[in-house]
Amino acid sequence: MNPRQTQILDLIRHEGRVGVDDLALRFGFTVQTIRRDLTDLAEAGRVERVHGGAVLPSGTANIAYDERRALNAGAKAAIARACAAEIPDGASVFLGIGTTTEAVAAALSGHSGLLVVTNNMTVARILATHPGCEVVVTGGALRQSDGGLVGPVAVQGLRQFKVDLAVIGCSALDAAGDVLDFDLAEVEVSRAALDTARAAWLVADHAKFSRTAPARVATLTAFAAMFTDRPVPPALAARALVPVTLAGTVAGMVAGRGDPC
């Protein structure tokens, strides 16, 4: 892998998707050269070619936790602030596994009277010293790769509650309106959260629009609202009638099922 390809791969990790024309302008090389770079990266299994560019490979396994944390970190922080701003003091909230839900936890520092139920040990650590928040950990099998708690014990622990709100992330969101992830054990906990919460919100950055994953959590219409950082692709917006708040804007809404709060 040459230095330019290394830089391209870093860009894909941070942006989720890159375009051939944009890369040619950025690096000052021809479109043909950039296409060869992307082909080499795809053949090495580092990226997946799509029309006009490349994305992180989807496959059947998620990318590493540290890479996920770095991917669109600024966008995730903005999404988290927008989401946290809609969570009222005194609410009971489930925060699931994922780097975006971890960002939501960090954005709750100004809240008071919260009860947070989580199967995410990183979320628990973030909120452990927050005086305005009581934290309950579901229990379950510890996933060492990212501190997630999964399995039957996690599901049973979550089902002891009826929270006001579940905030859930995902690995992919396809044009059919399906919310997708990689780990079936994690998916089972997310489904339990949808069953036991009075309302559920999805937090997902734009990279999720160009990825896929093999396990289905639910359709987007199971959520009362979605928080993201870029407009939802038209094909998805036509199928998923759910309010969408764009981070950094007042509210970019897709006609749907009521106010996100």
Side-chain angles (χ1 to χ4, degrees):
M1 193 163 60
N2 64 45
R4 185 179 59 254
Q5 291 172 352
T6 299
Q7 290 180 280
I8 290 173
L9 184 58
D10 287 341
L11 282 171
I12 297 175
R13 286 171 174 162
H14 284 84
E15 295 293 329
R17 179 186 181 118
V18 294
V20 171
D21 292 338
D22 289 341
L23 290 174
L25 288 172
R26 180 187 291 263
F27 291 105
F29 283 84
T30 65
V31 167
Q32 289 76 14
T33 296
I34 297 299
R35 284 178 178 152
R36 285 196 294 271
D37 285 335
L38 295 180
T39 297
D40 289 345
L41 289 169
E43 289 177 350
R46 310 301 294 272
V47 305
E48 181 179 321
R49 289 299 306 272
V50 295
H51 179 70
V55 298
L56 288 174
S58 296
T60 58
N62 207 351
I63 59 177
Y65 175 69
D66 287 342
E67 290 190 15
R68 281 186 279 136
R69 286 189 64 192
L71 181 62
N72 294 326
K76 290 174 183 176
I79 291 167
R81 289 192 296 270
C83 178
E86 299 294 339
I87 297 175
D89 289 340
S92 56
V93 183
F94 170 77
L95 291 179
I97 295 173
T99 56
T100 310
T101 53
E102 290 165 13
V104 173
L108 292 173
S109 59
H111 286 60
S112 63
L114 294 179
L115 170 65
V116 174
V117 181
T118 186
N119 66 325
N120 186 331
M121 293 300 294
T122 302
V123 165
R125 285 195 295 269
I126 290 169
L127 295 174
T129 58
H130 179 16
C133 181
E134 178 183 353
V135 180
V136 177
V137 178
T138 62
L142 177 64
R143 197 165 65 184
Q144 294 184 346
S145 61
D146 62 1
L149 295 168
V150 296
V153 173
V155 172
Q156 292 165 13
L158 179 54
R159 290 194 181 278
Q160 304 306 307
F161 295 89
K162 182 72 174 182
V163 296
D164 298 319
L165 176 66
V167 179
I168 297 172
C170 68
S171 294
L173 185 59
D174 69 13
D178 286 324
V179 178
L180 305 170
D181 224 311
F182 289 93
D183 188 335
L184 281 171
E186 178 180 344
V187 166
E188 290 300 322
V189 181
S190 295
R191 289 174 179 167
L194 289 171
D195 290 342
T196 59
R198 294 182 176 88
W201 296 349
L202 181 70
V203 288
D205 66 83
H206 69 275
K208 308 301 169 59
F209 302 149
S210 58
R211 300 193 71 205
T212 187
R216 181 176 176 274
V217 179
T219 62
L220 186 53
T221 52
F223 294 83
M226 175 181 174
F227 294 81
T228 188
D229 61 314
R230 293 188 188 174
V232 176
L236 175 59
R239 289 176 174 268
L241 301 180
V242 58
V244 176
T245 295
L246 299 180
T249 70
V250 175
M253 306 296 283
V254 175
R257 301 173 51 184
D259 295 335
C261 57

